[in-house]
Amino acid sequence: MRDAAHWGLLSTCIPHLMSKPSTFPAGAGEAAERIRAFDWSRTSLGPIAAWPQSLRTVVETLVNTPIAMVLMWGDDHVMLYNDGYIPIAGDKHPQALGGTVPGIWPEIWDWNRPLLERGFAGESMSFREQPLRIDRGRGLEDVWFDLFYTPVRDESGQVRGVLCTAPDITEQLRARGVERLHRQIVDGASDTAIVSTDTEGRITRWSAGATHLLGWNEAEMRGQSLARLFPDGEDGEARLAEERKEALARGRGGHEGWRRRKDGARLWAIGEMTPLRDEAGGVVGFVKVLSDRTAQKRAQEDLRDLNATLEQQVAERTEQLRLNEEALRQAQKMEAVGQLTGGIAHDFNNLLTGIAGGLDMIQRRIAQGRYDDLDRFMEAASASANRAAGLTQRLLAFSRRQSLDVKPVDVNQLVASMEDLLARTLGEQVQLEMAPHPGLWTAETDANQLETALLNLSINARDAMPEGGKLIVETSNATVDETYAAKFDDLEPGDFVVLCVSDTGAGMSPEVAARAFDPFFTTKPLGSGTGLGLSMVYGFVRQSKGHVRIYSQPGEGTTVKLFLPRFQGAVEAEAAEPPPRELPAGEGEVVLVVEDEAAVRLLITEVLEELGYRAIVAEDGDVAVAQLLEGGRIDLIVTDVGLPGVNGRQVAEIARQLRGGVKVLFVTGYAENAAVRGGFLEPGMEMITKPFNIDTLAAKIREMLS
């Protein structure tokens, strides 16, 4: 690039050229006249009389062409354009003449810069129906162009400029309704990625939500493929081609899986692709909607090892020792059964409800002297028992989706109450040492599950010390700062109550320690363990929004630390259980019962009718919706959560839309979304879990209808 001093010297050498009115470039248009009159010595191009022949030739051609064209010359991209380009420049004309591209069009420079770099590298490019958001001096507006970039070489063959042919096709697209369709995309949700592509899969529109979710801005992604979002090693182009084919055949195509952000982080995305059509029905592209489901996906992975129990809860808890013994029995029972699936656990709870409820109804009918229809309940209970016996033969997996009863817990008190039970569990060869922290904070967790976790850890420690040793159970407070939390994917900064269990046993190698929390992983001989103990501990603590760390070396023992969230608030004293009372009777209210298990449906219906309610029965969600649409009176909905088809939560949402604030009682044995009750229930909604007794059901219904 020549500097100003050079141009001054040159002007003194050719005064005859500078003193005569320029007739270059030839042409009668406004742009040609302004180019002739402009003082080009103020720019890097220098005086017009000294321009190289290559520049003069392309400018002469440009000003005599009716189609909108702009030449960007030199390293600083000085702009020269013709009359066709003047409407595109708008109020920026005539200042744009002789200006630089980043100076005149800063709002699209991030998009334009890589294209000019490619053009100056000798590459020709074209973009059909290219949308740009530009400011022509009247504020930002959306304009569509057909763009053609052509490199221009000087006498030495070096690329010195890029010629852009840029017809404005905005009005054409508006006439075809394309702009309206694109506007629908742009106006989408800010937390959802909404992307439009052409028929070949090249991105034409990139929403603000896409930038927020994925990190790339519109300029970086325009003209690119969504295959850029797929992890390395996955054929994104093939997957996208299948989605486009499915969308054309069925109206929509979808896929979910891991995707990557600009910063390299992963997210689990659910995507749906639909054809983008013009007003005549022709396919002009596709719309891709991506929603972030990373939190749900990671929660599913963290909760896959739920505690599930087959034992009925003890009716009355008279002393702390009996509670601890029952917790130990449940943990041992779970280990014996092993590998439960969430779905089988749900079915099993349905069956237990049919057994317990049927026997309960038989007992009540006998007490009332009513013997005429006992066979119904006996047959239902017997059928459920037979099915339960067969079901136990098919327990092949383990699920981590229990419904936690999260409350403030005094961990010191809980550990102290288990001391006798732990001592008997460990045996005489293992010395038990308790080290409670005197100023321990209150934890926020499920006390029953914490007891089970401590028992599991103690049993594992005992098995690691066959020749005897020492087990230390200690508590402490811990504040995790952002620096420490950043070392782990599953740890948030904050205050935690730490329960630490240490043994002097055989210890573990780093390879074994790394897999210690994996479901079904065990180093014990066949028949001595299922590998679920530590997995259950990990699942419970993670579900409680806590953290687990394990430290071990061969021959040096093992330490497991449970980080439980600190309870932030005042701890209220537990209220005494109210004395038993008679079942509350109904007053003719109408209750819609939605339950796919026949035995449970029969039990609930009989209880309702016996207590003075009128029951309407639906065996699944679809039938329930039909009942709601009929418009008859419904005062309360009692529904299972895990229904086939339309589930119980969806039935409740539809009911709220059709029936205003109708109250809903969820009855569940297993429901993924109900794992933590506080995030599932809205005002006017309650939940009881299977198996339940009739007193609980009747009291809850009366409470909700009062």
Side-chain angles (χ1 to χ4, degrees):
M1 181 184 296
R2 299 180 175 92
D3 56 22
H6 178 83
W7 290 124
L9 178 63
L10 182 62
S11 65
T12 62
C13 296
I14 50 174
H16 64 285
L17 292 175
M18 298 297 294
S19 61
K20 295 180 180 180
S22 176
T23 59
F24 169 80
E30 177 186 351
E33 181 61 32
R34 288 188 178 276
I35 291 174
R36 289 193 291 268
F38 191 81
D39 182 6
W40 292 99
S41 63
R42 295 181 300 167
T43 72
S44 62
L45 274 63
I48 194 170
W51 286 4
Q53 186 58 46
S54 54
L55 175 57
R56 299 171 69 88
T57 300
V58 70
V59 172
E60 189 94 23
T61 302
L62 176 144
V63 298
N64 290 287
T65 300
I67 300 175
M69 302 178 73
V70 56
L71 174 65
M72 294 155 283
W73 190 266
D75 294 339
D76 50 354
H77 309 124
V78 177
M79 295 173 57
L80 301 98
Y81 51 81
N82 61 9
D83 287 359
Y85 191 82
I86 291 175
I88 295 176
D91 292 347
K92 292 184 176 181
H93 174 75
Q95 290 80 9
L97 189 66
T100 63
V101 176
I104 301 301
W105 301 114
E107 64 273 17
I108 59 172
W109 178 238
D110 286 343
W111 179 83
N112 224 342
R113 175 168 51 191
L115 301 184
L116 290 176
E117 290 174 353
R118 292 161 62 184
F120 274 86
E123 181 180 351
S124 297
M125 296 159 285
S126 64
F127 301 90
R128 295 284 186 178
E129 298 182 0
Q130 178 63 49
L132 291 175
R133 193 165 180 82
I134 62 175
D135 181 0
R136 297 193 261 202
R138 301 181 293 271
L140 291 172
E141 56 183 304
D142 291 323
V143 187
W144 277 259
F145 298 95
D146 282 341
L147 299 175
F148 306 90
Y149 288 78
T150 304
V152 180
R153 302 179 184 273
D154 62 11
E155 288 76 4
S156 66
Q158 180 181 1
V159 177
R160 295 293 297 144
V162 173
L163 180 64
C164 179
T165 304
D168 184 345
I169 61 170
T170 303
E171 293 304 322
Q172 301 174 32
L173 293 185
R174 283 176 177 164
R176 287 161 34 199
V178 173
E179 185 193 40
R180 175 180 58 81
L181 296 173
H182 281 228
R183 180 70 61 185
Q184 294 173 357
I185 299 171
V186 173
D187 291 340
S190 62
D191 57 351
T192 300
I194 304 177
V195 183
S196 63
T197 71
D198 60 19
T199 55
E200 299 301 318
R202 293 183 294 268
I203 295 171
T204 58
R205 205 61 178 264
W206 184 265
S207 72
T211 299
H212 175 75
L213 191 65
L214 299 167
W216 290 282
N217 60 36
E218 187 173 11
E220 293 172 305
M221 293 302 292
R222 192 179 294 274
Q224 301 292 323
S225 169
L226 282 169
R228 190 173 187 178
L229 307 182
F230 284 75
D232 295 338
E234 188 170 349
D235 192 347
E237 292 292 358
R239 177 66 254 183
L240 292 168
E242 292 176 6
E243 286 189 48
R244 291 194 294 271
K245 182 178 180 181
E246 183 181 4
L248 291 174
R250 302 175 53 190
R252 65 183 59 203
H255 181 67
E256 65 178 273
W258 288 110
R259 300 290 180 265
R260 70 180 184 95
R261 294 186 173 93
K262 181 180 180 179
D263 61 5
R266 297 197 313 164
L267 76 158
W268 184 267
I270 296 179
E272 183 175 280
M273 182 179 289
T274 55
L276 184 64
R277 302 180 184 275
D278 58 20
E279 292 183 347
V283 176
V284 296
F286 297 88
V287 176
K288 178 78 172 183
V289 179
L290 286 170
S291 299
D292 185 3
R293 295 291 183 270
T294 307
Q296 294 90 325
K297 178 66 176 177
R298 287 178 175 166
Q300 291 172 6
E301 293 175 348
D302 290 338
L303 299 177
R304 65 180 177 269
D305 195 13
L306 283 174
N307 285 328
T309 178
L310 299 178
E311 297 297 326
Q312 294 184 2
Q313 296 299 313
V314 177
E316 297 181 359
R317 309 172 85 178
T318 59
E319 56 184 295
Q320 192 65 38
L321 181 58
R322 179 167 178 171
L323 172 64
N324 295 339
E325 290 174 343
E326 177 63 14
L328 176 61
R329 188 169 66 89
Q330 291 174 359
Q332 291 173 333
K333 186 65 174 181
M334 286 190 293
E335 182 172 296
V337 174
Q339 303 184 0
L340 292 174
T341 66
I344 293 178
H346 168 258
D347 291 342
F348 213 111
N349 277 327
N350 279 336
L351 297 173
L352 290 176
T353 301
I355 296 170
L359 295 175
D360 198 354
M361 286 299 299
I362 292 172
Q363 185 178 12
R364 291 175 181 277
R365 292 295 175 90
I366 291 174
Q368 296 169 2
R370 297 168 57 187
Y371 308 105
D372 51 330
D373 59 348
L374 294 181
D375 289 344
R376 279 198 305 155
F377 302 108
M378 295 174 63
E379 291 173 359
S382 177
S384 295
N386 290 334
R387 291 173 59 194
L391 192 59
T392 57
Q393 305 303 314
R394 304 193 303 273
L395 301 180
L396 301 175
F398 190 80
S399 173
R400 220 190 304 154
R401 291 183 172 86
Q402 62 220 1
S403 181
L404 292 185
D405 188 11
V406 178
K407 294 179 180 179
V409 176
D410 184 338
V411 177
N412 275 347
Q413 182 180 349
L414 181 145
V415 171
S417 69
M418 296 182 65
E419 184 172 2
D420 290 343
L421 178 59
L422 293 178
R424 285 189 281 114
T425 302
L426 296 172
E428 295 180 355
Q429 288 185 307
V430 177
Q431 178 186 351
L432 176 62
E433 180 178 323
M434 312 293 278
H437 183 71
L440 192 67
W441 295 327
T442 300
E444 186 174 18
T445 186
D446 186 317
N448 289 341
Q449 297 301 330
L450 181 57
E451 291 171 353
T452 302
L454 180 54
L455 287 167
N456 273 323
L457 293 176
S458 300
I459 292 171
N460 273 6
R462 178 199 64 191
D463 294 344
M465 298 182 288
E467 305 299 326
K470 178 187 289 188
L471 177 71
I472 303 173
V473 180
E474 58 184 318
T475 60
S476 62
N477 298 326
T479 297
V480 175
D481 58 21
E482 294 184 358
T483 302
Y484 182 78
K487 300 177 182 179
F488 308 97
D489 294 335
D490 55 356
L491 181 59
E492 296 291 335
D495 291 339
F496 293 87
V497 175
V498 181
L499 175 61
C500 177
V501 179
S502 303
D503 66 60
T504 59
M508 293 180 279
S509 66
E511 294 77 16
V512 172
R515 299 189 59 193
F517 294 125
D518 290 353
F520 319 127
F521 176 76
T522 180
T523 58
K524 298 177 183 179
L526 184 64
S528 299
T530 61
L532 293 175
L534 287 179
S535 178
M536 292 160 56
V537 172
Y538 179 82
F540 151 66
V541 176
R542 291 293 298 121
Q543 190 177 354
S544 298
K545 300 180 181 179
H547 180 62
V548 184
R549 295 295 296 160
I550 186 168
Y551 310 90
S552 186
Q553 289 292 334
E556 297 182 8
T558 299
T559 296
V560 179
K561 290 186 176 182
L562 310 185
F563 291 76
L564 304 169
R566 179 185 181 183
F567 176 72
Q568 303 289 348
V571 180
E572 299 179 359
E574 294 187 4
E577 293 186 3
R581 56 187 179 89
E582 295 184 1
L583 290 181
E587 299 176 356
E589 293 94 334
V590 179
V591 180
L592 173 60
V593 179
V594 190
E595 172 59 64
D596 59 319
E597 183 68 31
V600 180
R601 189 167 63 244
L602 169 65
L603 170 65
I604 296 175
T605 303
E606 287 294 327
V607 170
L608 290 171
E609 292 179 350
E610 191 166 290
L611 294 175
Y613 302 100
R614 186 163 69 88
I616 302 175
V617 178
E619 61 270 18
D620 56 39
D622 294 328
V623 176
V625 173
Q627 295 278 10
L628 291 167
L629 291 171
E630 289 184 0
R633 174 184 174 185
I634 295 177
D635 300 298
L636 174 69
I637 299 174
V638 178
T639 178
D640 189 9
V641 177
L643 296 170
V646 179
N647 64 40
R649 190 63 176 83
Q650 293 169 329
V651 170
E653 292 175 359
I654 294 171
R656 287 292 176 91
Q657 294 175 6
L658 298 176
R659 300 298 184 100
V662 64
K663 296 182 178 180
V664 182
L665 174 59
F666 293 106
V667 181
T668 179
Y670 155 69
E672 179 176 339
N673 292 333
V676 177
R677 304 178 187 181
F680 183 82
L681 301 178
E682 296 178 0
M685 295 181 180
E686 296 287 348
M687 178 186 293
I688 61 175
T689 56
K690 303 171 184 175
F692 55 82
N693 58 47
I694 293 176
D695 292 331
T696 302
L697 175 64
K700 182 61 70 174
I701 291 174
R702 186 67 267 162
E703 175 188 338
M704 296 184 70
L705 289 174
S706 297

